[in-house]
Short mmCIF file of all heavy atoms in Angstrom, two decimals:
data_model
loop_
_atom_site.label_atom_id
_atom_site.label_comp_id
_atom_site.label_asym_id
_atom_site.label_seq_id
_atom_site.Cartn_x
_atom_site.Cartn_y
_atom_site.Cartn_z
N ALA A 1 110.34 109.11 111.62
CA ALA A 1 111.66 108.80 111.06
C ALA A 1 112.06 109.85 110.03
O ALA A 1 113.20 110.31 110.00
CB ALA A 1 111.66 107.41 110.45
N ALA A 2 111.12 110.25 109.19
CA ALA A 2 111.43 111.21 108.13
C ALA A 2 111.72 112.60 108.69
O ALA A 2 112.58 113.31 108.20
CB ALA A 2 110.26 111.28 107.14
N GLU A 3 111.00 112.96 109.73
CA GLU A 3 111.12 114.31 110.29
C GLU A 3 111.98 114.34 111.55
O GLU A 3 112.20 115.40 112.12
CB GLU A 3 109.73 114.88 110.61
CG GLU A 3 108.82 114.98 109.40
CD GLU A 3 109.32 115.98 108.39
OE1 GLU A 3 109.96 116.97 108.78
OE2 GLU A 3 109.06 115.76 107.19
N HIS A 4 112.42 113.19 112.00
CA HIS A 4 113.18 113.06 113.25
C HIS A 4 112.48 113.81 114.40
O HIS A 4 113.07 114.56 115.15
CB HIS A 4 114.62 113.53 113.07
CG HIS A 4 115.51 113.03 114.16
ND1 HIS A 4 115.73 111.69 114.37
CD2 HIS A 4 116.22 113.69 115.10
CE1 HIS A 4 116.55 111.56 115.39
NE2 HIS A 4 116.86 112.74 115.86
N LEU A 5 111.21 113.59 114.47
CA LEU A 5 110.31 114.12 115.49
C LEU A 5 110.31 115.64 115.59
O LEU A 5 110.18 116.20 116.65
CB LEU A 5 110.52 113.50 116.86
CG LEU A 5 109.35 113.79 117.82
CD1 LEU A 5 108.03 113.45 117.19
CD2 LEU A 5 109.50 113.11 119.10
N THR A 6 110.43 116.28 114.47
CA THR A 6 110.05 117.68 114.46
C THR A 6 108.58 117.74 114.09
O THR A 6 107.99 118.81 114.03
CB THR A 6 110.89 118.49 113.45
OG1 THR A 6 110.71 117.93 112.15
CG2 THR A 6 112.34 118.48 113.84
N VAL A 7 107.99 116.57 113.84
CA VAL A 7 106.60 116.50 113.41
C VAL A 7 105.64 116.85 114.54
O VAL A 7 104.73 117.63 114.36
CB VAL A 7 106.25 115.09 112.87
CG1 VAL A 7 104.76 114.95 112.64
CG2 VAL A 7 107.00 114.83 111.59
N ALA A 8 105.81 116.29 115.73
CA ALA A 8 104.76 116.44 116.73
C ALA A 8 105.29 116.48 118.15
O ALA A 8 106.26 115.83 118.49
CB ALA A 8 103.78 115.29 116.60
N ASP A 9 104.60 117.29 118.95
CA ASP A 9 104.82 117.28 120.39
C ASP A 9 103.93 116.23 121.05
O ASP A 9 104.26 115.71 122.10
CB ASP A 9 104.50 118.67 120.97
CG ASP A 9 105.39 119.73 120.38
OD1 ASP A 9 106.62 119.59 120.48
OD2 ASP A 9 104.86 120.69 119.80
N TRP A 10 102.78 115.98 120.42
CA TRP A 10 101.82 114.99 120.91
C TRP A 10 101.36 114.14 119.75
O TRP A 10 101.16 114.64 118.65
CB TRP A 10 100.58 115.67 121.51
CG TRP A 10 100.71 115.96 122.95
CD1 TRP A 10 101.03 117.15 123.52
CD2 TRP A 10 100.52 115.05 124.03
NE1 TRP A 10 101.06 117.03 124.88
CE2 TRP A 10 100.74 115.76 125.22
CE3 TRP A 10 100.18 113.70 124.11
CZ2 TRP A 10 100.64 115.17 126.48
CZ3 TRP A 10 100.08 113.11 125.35
CH2 TRP A 10 100.29 113.84 126.52
N VAL A 11 101.14 112.85 120.01
CA VAL A 11 100.54 111.93 119.04
C VAL A 11 99.23 111.45 119.64
O VAL A 11 99.21 110.93 120.76
CB VAL A 11 101.46 110.74 118.75
CG1 VAL A 11 100.80 109.80 117.74
CG2 VAL A 11 102.81 111.21 118.24
N LEU A 12 98.14 111.63 118.91
CA LEU A 12 96.83 111.11 119.31
C LEU A 12 96.60 109.87 118.47
O LEU A 12 96.38 109.96 117.26
CB LEU A 12 95.74 112.16 119.08
CG LEU A 12 95.98 113.50 119.78
CD1 LEU A 12 94.87 114.49 119.43
CD2 LEU A 12 96.08 113.32 121.28
N MET A 13 96.66 108.69 119.08
CA MET A 13 96.78 107.42 118.38
C MET A 13 95.60 106.49 118.65
O MET A 13 95.33 106.15 119.80
CB MET A 13 98.07 106.73 118.85
CG MET A 13 98.37 105.39 118.24
SD MET A 13 99.30 105.48 116.72
CE MET A 13 100.91 106.03 117.30
N ASP A 14 94.93 106.08 117.59
CA ASP A 14 93.91 105.04 117.68
C ASP A 14 94.60 103.70 117.92
O ASP A 14 95.81 103.57 117.72
CB ASP A 14 93.12 105.01 116.37
CG ASP A 14 91.91 104.10 116.42
OD1 ASP A 14 91.41 103.80 117.52
OD2 ASP A 14 91.43 103.69 115.33
N ILE A 15 93.84 102.70 118.35
CA ILE A 15 94.44 101.38 118.56
C ILE A 15 94.26 100.50 117.33
O ILE A 15 95.22 100.01 116.76
CB ILE A 15 93.85 100.68 119.81
CG1 ILE A 15 94.32 101.38 121.08
CG2 ILE A 15 94.27 99.21 119.84
CD1 ILE A 15 93.81 100.77 122.37
N GLU A 16 93.02 100.28 116.93
CA GLU A 16 92.75 99.36 115.82
C GLU A 16 92.88 100.08 114.48
O GLU A 16 92.06 100.93 114.14
CB GLU A 16 91.36 98.75 115.94
CG GLU A 16 91.30 97.66 116.96
CD GLU A 16 90.06 96.82 116.83
OE1 GLU A 16 89.01 97.33 116.43
OE2 GLU A 16 90.15 95.63 117.13
N MET A 17 93.94 99.72 113.76
CA MET A 17 94.20 100.29 112.44
C MET A 17 94.86 99.21 111.59
O MET A 17 95.48 98.29 112.13
CB MET A 17 95.14 101.50 112.54
CG MET A 17 94.55 102.67 113.30
SD MET A 17 95.69 104.06 113.40
CE MET A 17 96.92 103.44 114.56
N PRO A 18 94.76 99.35 110.26
CA PRO A 18 95.43 98.37 109.38
C PRO A 18 96.95 98.52 109.45
O PRO A 18 97.46 99.51 109.95
CB PRO A 18 94.89 98.72 107.99
CG PRO A 18 94.44 100.13 108.09
CD PRO A 18 94.03 100.35 109.51
N ARG A 19 97.62 97.55 108.93
CA ARG A 19 99.09 97.46 108.84
C ARG A 19 99.73 97.44 110.22
O ARG A 19 100.12 96.39 110.70
CB ARG A 19 99.69 98.57 107.98
CG ARG A 19 99.25 98.47 106.54
CD ARG A 19 100.06 99.26 105.57
NE ARG A 19 100.42 100.59 106.01
CZ ARG A 19 101.49 101.23 105.58
NH1 ARG A 19 102.30 100.67 104.73
NH2 ARG A 19 101.76 102.45 105.99
N VAL A 20 99.89 98.56 110.89
CA VAL A 20 100.49 98.61 112.23
C VAL A 20 99.48 99.25 113.16
O VAL A 20 99.07 100.40 112.96
CB VAL A 20 101.81 99.43 112.21
CG1 VAL A 20 102.37 99.57 113.61
CG2 VAL A 20 102.83 98.77 111.28
N ASP A 21 99.07 98.51 114.20
CA ASP A 21 98.07 99.04 115.13
C ASP A 21 98.71 100.08 116.06
O ASP A 21 99.92 100.25 116.10
CB ASP A 21 97.38 97.93 115.91
CG ASP A 21 98.27 97.21 116.90
OD1 ASP A 21 99.05 97.86 117.63
OD2 ASP A 21 98.18 95.97 116.97
N GLY A 22 97.87 100.77 116.80
CA GLY A 22 98.34 101.86 117.64
C GLY A 22 99.25 101.44 118.78
O GLY A 22 100.15 102.18 119.17
N LEU A 23 99.04 100.25 119.33
CA LEU A 23 99.90 99.79 120.42
C LEU A 23 101.30 99.49 119.91
O LEU A 23 102.29 99.88 120.53
CB LEU A 23 99.29 98.56 121.11
CG LEU A 23 97.96 98.80 121.82
CD1 LEU A 23 97.42 97.49 122.38
CD2 LEU A 23 98.10 99.85 122.90
N GLU A 24 101.38 98.82 118.78
CA GLU A 24 102.70 98.52 118.20
C GLU A 24 103.39 99.81 117.75
O GLU A 24 104.59 99.99 117.97
CB GLU A 24 102.58 97.55 117.02
CG GLU A 24 103.91 97.25 116.34
CD GLU A 24 104.96 96.67 117.28
OE1 GLU A 24 104.62 95.99 118.26
OE2 GLU A 24 106.16 96.92 117.02
N ALA A 25 102.64 100.72 117.15
CA ALA A 25 103.24 102.00 116.73
C ALA A 25 103.74 102.77 117.94
O ALA A 25 104.82 103.37 117.89
CB ALA A 25 102.22 102.82 115.95
N THR A 26 102.99 102.74 119.03
CA THR A 26 103.43 103.42 120.26
C THR A 26 104.73 102.81 120.78
O THR A 26 105.66 103.53 121.13
CB THR A 26 102.32 103.36 121.33
OG1 THR A 26 101.15 104.02 120.83
CG2 THR A 26 102.77 104.01 122.63
N ARG A 27 104.80 101.48 120.79
CA ARG A 27 106.03 100.80 121.22
C ARG A 27 107.21 101.23 120.36
O ARG A 27 108.29 101.53 120.87
CB ARG A 27 105.86 99.28 121.15
CG ARG A 27 105.22 98.66 122.36
CD ARG A 27 105.30 97.14 122.35
NE ARG A 27 104.41 96.53 121.36
CZ ARG A 27 103.11 96.33 121.55
NH1 ARG A 27 102.55 96.68 122.69
NH2 ARG A 27 102.39 95.77 120.62
N GLN A 28 107.00 101.26 119.04
CA GLN A 28 108.09 101.64 118.14
C GLN A 28 108.51 103.09 118.35
O GLN A 28 109.70 103.39 118.40
CB GLN A 28 107.67 101.43 116.68
CG GLN A 28 107.55 99.96 116.31
CD GLN A 28 107.13 99.78 114.87
OE1 GLN A 28 107.37 100.61 114.01
NE2 GLN A 28 106.48 98.65 114.60
N LEU A 29 107.53 103.98 118.50
CA LEU A 29 107.86 105.40 118.72
C LEU A 29 108.65 105.56 120.02
O LEU A 29 109.66 106.26 120.05
CB LEU A 29 106.60 106.25 118.76
CG LEU A 29 105.87 106.44 117.44
CD1 LEU A 29 104.58 107.23 117.67
CD2 LEU A 29 106.74 107.13 116.42
N LYS A 30 108.18 104.93 121.08
CA LYS A 30 108.85 105.08 122.38
C LYS A 30 110.24 104.42 122.39
O LYS A 30 111.12 104.88 123.10
CB LYS A 30 107.98 104.51 123.49
CG LYS A 30 106.66 105.26 123.71
CD LYS A 30 106.89 106.70 124.12
CE LYS A 30 107.34 106.82 125.53
NZ LYS A 30 107.49 108.18 126.02
N THR A 31 110.41 103.37 121.60
CA THR A 31 111.72 102.72 121.52
C THR A 31 112.74 103.64 120.85
O THR A 31 113.85 103.81 121.32
CB THR A 31 111.62 101.39 120.74
OG1 THR A 31 110.78 100.50 121.48
CG2 THR A 31 112.98 100.76 120.54
N HIS A 32 112.33 104.25 119.74
CA HIS A 32 113.25 105.08 118.96
C HIS A 32 113.28 106.54 119.41
O HIS A 32 114.30 107.22 119.25
CB HIS A 32 112.91 105.00 117.48
CG HIS A 32 113.06 103.62 116.92
ND1 HIS A 32 114.27 103.00 116.78
CD2 HIS A 32 112.13 102.73 116.51
CE1 HIS A 32 114.09 101.78 116.29
NE2 HIS A 32 112.81 101.60 116.11
N TRP A 33 112.17 107.01 119.96
CA TRP A 33 112.06 108.41 120.42
C TRP A 33 111.42 108.40 121.80
O TRP A 33 110.23 108.62 121.96
CB TRP A 33 111.23 109.23 119.43
CG TRP A 33 111.82 109.26 118.08
CD1 TRP A 33 112.84 110.08 117.65
CD2 TRP A 33 111.48 108.43 116.96
NE1 TRP A 33 113.13 109.80 116.33
CE2 TRP A 33 112.32 108.79 115.89
CE3 TRP A 33 110.56 107.40 116.78
CZ2 TRP A 33 112.26 108.17 114.65
CZ3 TRP A 33 110.50 106.79 115.54
CH2 TRP A 33 111.34 107.18 114.50
N PRO A 34 112.19 108.12 122.84
CA PRO A 34 111.64 107.96 124.20
C PRO A 34 110.86 109.17 124.71
O PRO A 34 110.00 109.01 125.58
CB PRO A 34 112.88 107.71 125.06
CG PRO A 34 113.94 107.28 124.12
CD PRO A 34 113.62 107.91 122.79
N ASP A 35 111.13 110.35 124.18
CA ASP A 35 110.41 111.54 124.63
C ASP A 35 109.07 111.73 123.94
O ASP A 35 108.34 112.67 124.26
CB ASP A 35 111.28 112.79 124.42
CG ASP A 35 112.51 112.78 125.30
OD1 ASP A 35 112.47 112.13 126.37
OD2 ASP A 35 113.51 113.42 124.93
N ALA A 36 108.74 110.88 122.99
CA ALA A 36 107.45 111.00 122.29
C ALA A 36 106.31 110.87 123.29
O ALA A 36 106.31 110.00 124.16
CB ALA A 36 107.33 109.91 121.22
#
C-alpha cells in the first residue's frame, strides 16, 4: 500500500505468522493488486 507495488516483483510468503497469516495476506494482495 505504501509503495503501490513498486516494492516487489515477487513475494515469498510464509503461512503461519502473527497478526495476519500468509494466506490472508495473499488474498489481500491479490484483491488489491491482482498482478502480485
Side-chain angles (χ1 to χ4, degrees):
E3 301 294 330
H4 198 62
L5 195 51
T6 58
V7 171
D9 299 303
W10 271 99
V11 179
L12 303 178
M13 180 89 70
D14 188 22
I15 290 180
E16 283 195 328
M17 295 180 289
R19 296 196 318 153
V20 176
D21 68 43
L23 296 176
E24 178 57 30
T26 299
R27 276 190 288 279
Q28 290 180 27
L29 290 176
K30 295 298 286 184
T31 296
H32 298 292
W33 299 278
D35 293 335

